[in-house]
Amino acid sequence: MKDSVIAAQQTPAAQRSTGDLARAAVSGWLGTAMEFMDFQLYSLAAAIVFNKIFFPDVSPAIGLIAAMATYGVGYVARLAGAVYFGRMGDRIGRKKVLYLTILLMGASTTLIGVLPTYGMIGILAPVLLVALRLIQGFGAGAEIAGATVLLAEYAPVRRRGLVSSLVSLGTNSGTLAASGLWAVLLAVLSEDQLLSWGWRLPFLLSFVLMLFAFWLRRGLKESPVFEERPDVVDGVAMAKDEVLAAAQDGDVLAAGIRQRKGKAFFVALGLRFGQAGNSGLVQTFLVGYIATNLAVGRSVPTDAIVYGSLLGFATVPLVGLLGDRFGRRALYLGLTALTVVLAFPVMLLITSGSTPALMLGMVLGLNIGVLGLFSLESVTMAELFGSRTRFTQLALAKEIGGILATAIGPVLAATLTAVTRSWWPIAAMLVVYSLITFVSALLAPETHGRDLVRLEDAV
């Protein structure tokens, strides 16, 4: 065993061409775009029509809460997927896992588009909806983590923030595609057409994207960092007892396997909290809140998400470049502080009664409090963790943060706004989420330029 370990440690650095990097970048971007398109399709449907299609026998407020709850259950399945596929990705490689996740997400999303409604089969309809949401979440639980790890491990050190930001750009692309589809449907279909068959179209169209993403990943090479890991022999990571038997005092195996884990994970969880919580409020809850409670056209909130996502194509790579230039911590502190300062003014704009002001508020909230933080998160979380457990820890940090913030947040916001009959709880939640990430950034080490082959965490 020691001979094979020595051979693994002396393996030359894995070589990747510019074409390999481009294929990995497009694959990561497309898979993440599909994940977020699937979830944004669902979240917008939950906010706009699912309360009428699957929960028609309750009041509008209770229907919105129920629809948001079905949105939230997917995050429980995401956690299970993060554990299962994360461990698999750390053991046998990143790319193999990404085949499976794309198939699970695409198939479940397509099947949502053929579900019978409550009017057809009664209570079984929302039961089936929740079941498909769970399958969708199980696959999605490792998709964005796998894409994040893959791109960070492929990227040149000096441009790691920019290249890794393509994952965030994928989320933006998916959000834009889903919001654009819903904006078109709301603009051209009547209420009856939308509720009878129109809502199915976006889910059915995701099947085409799934086929293309799967084809693209067929020719993808494994992460060079995974191949260079000193604990990987013949493409498979050694078990812990094998590493302990082979490790010697002071070598790279000993440094990685004997480090006490936990600090980096909790820092990453805190960094995740602000982005995840803000995303659930801005991209999910506010769409339904505006459509249900404010006297504006039903297409206004989805149009605002479209405009904000378009601006995000500049915001995301800009933040990635600035992170490469000035480091990760400074950008985190600046963006979260700005989100805290703007939380109440943004909500005043959204609830002012002016459509242009509402649009401006949504665009600001999306780009500063969501997309900007996501761009930083994509590279920082990968740099925080050692290569042996990077996939698992990153996936868990993302999904636990998603459960605590993105999944629970819209349900809590729906409840608080219904009780208080005011918008201020939304602004207060934006402040709390952002402050958690601000404090976490203060406690985090600067990870810019870290060697990703190292087995130990950054802290």
Side-chain angles (χ1 to χ4, degrees), residues 235-251:
V236 179
M238 293 185 293
K240 185 176 180 179
D241 57 345
E242 294 176 323
V243 179
L244 285 172
Q248 300 178 9
D249 290 340
D251 70 4

Side-chain angles (χ1 to χ4, degrees), residues 133-344:
R133 175 67 172 161
L134 290 171
I135 296 171
Q136 185 190 57
F138 187 69
E143 170 61 36
I144 192 168
T148 298
V149 169
L150 188 73
L151 277 188
E153 292 182 347
Y154 254 91
V157 175
R158 296 182 62 183
R159 288 291 178 261
R160 190 182 289 155
L162 175 61
V163 174
S164 297
S165 75
L166 290 174
V167 174
S168 306
L169 210 57
T171 69
N172 194 42
S173 302
T175 299
L176 177 61
S179 301
L181 284 170
W182 272 105
V184 171
L185 292 176
L186 291 170
V188 303
L189 298 182
S190 67
E191 182 81 6
D192 289 342
Q193 290 173 325
L194 186 67
L195 294 177
S196 63
W197 55 267
W199 66 272
R200 300 181 184 276
L201 296 179
F203 295 98
L204 297 175
L205 288 172
S206 69
F207 181 73
V208 178
L209 186 60
M210 178 194 72
L211 291 179
F212 179 63
F214 185 76
W215 170 82
L216 185 67
R217 288 182 177 178
R218 287 182 60 194
L220 184 65
K221 293 181 180 178
E222 183 53 78
S223 153
V225 168
F226 180 81
E227 293 185 351
E228 293 172 24
R229 274 171 46 183
D231 65 328
V232 169
V233 178
D234 296 328
V236 179
M238 293 185 293
K240 185 176 180 179
D241 57 345
E242 294 176 323
V243 179
L244 285 172
Q248 300 178 9
D249 290 340
D251 70 4
V252 292
L253 289 176
I257 203 69
R258 293 171 182 167
Q259 181 192 38
R260 294 185 63 181
K261 303 292 184 182
K263 291 182 180 179
F265 178 81
F266 285 107
V267 169
L269 186 62
L271 294 178
R272 169 70 169 153
F273 218 87
Q275 189 281 329
N278 295 345
S279 175
L281 292 176
V282 175
Q283 294 178 264
T284 301
F285 175 73
L286 274 175
V287 173
Y289 179 82
I290 291 168
T292 304
N293 295 279
L294 304 183
V296 297
R298 61 181 185 173
S299 65
V300 170
T302 53
D303 288 344
I305 295 294
V306 169
Y307 298 145
S309 297
L310 286 172
L311 181 59
F313 282 99
T315 300
V316 167
L318 176 61
V319 171
L321 281 169
L322 292 175
D324 285 331
R325 175 67 178 84
F326 300 105
R328 320 303 182 202
R329 292 180 75 249
L331 267 293
Y332 258 117
L333 295 173
L335 285 174
T336 49
L338 189 57
T339 304
V340 169
V341 170
L342 291 179
F344 280 87

Side-chain angles (χ1 to χ4, degrees), residues 12 60 68 84 108 126 145 231 255 277 283 300 326 356 391 425 431:
M68 288 298 150
Y84 181 79
S108 57
D231 65 328
Q283 294 178 264
V300 170
F326 300 105
F391 199 147
V431 169

Side-chain angles (χ1 to χ4, degrees), residues 108-119:
S108 57
T109 302
T110 302
L111 288 174
I112 289 175
V114 299
L115 273 181
T117 65
Y118 186 92

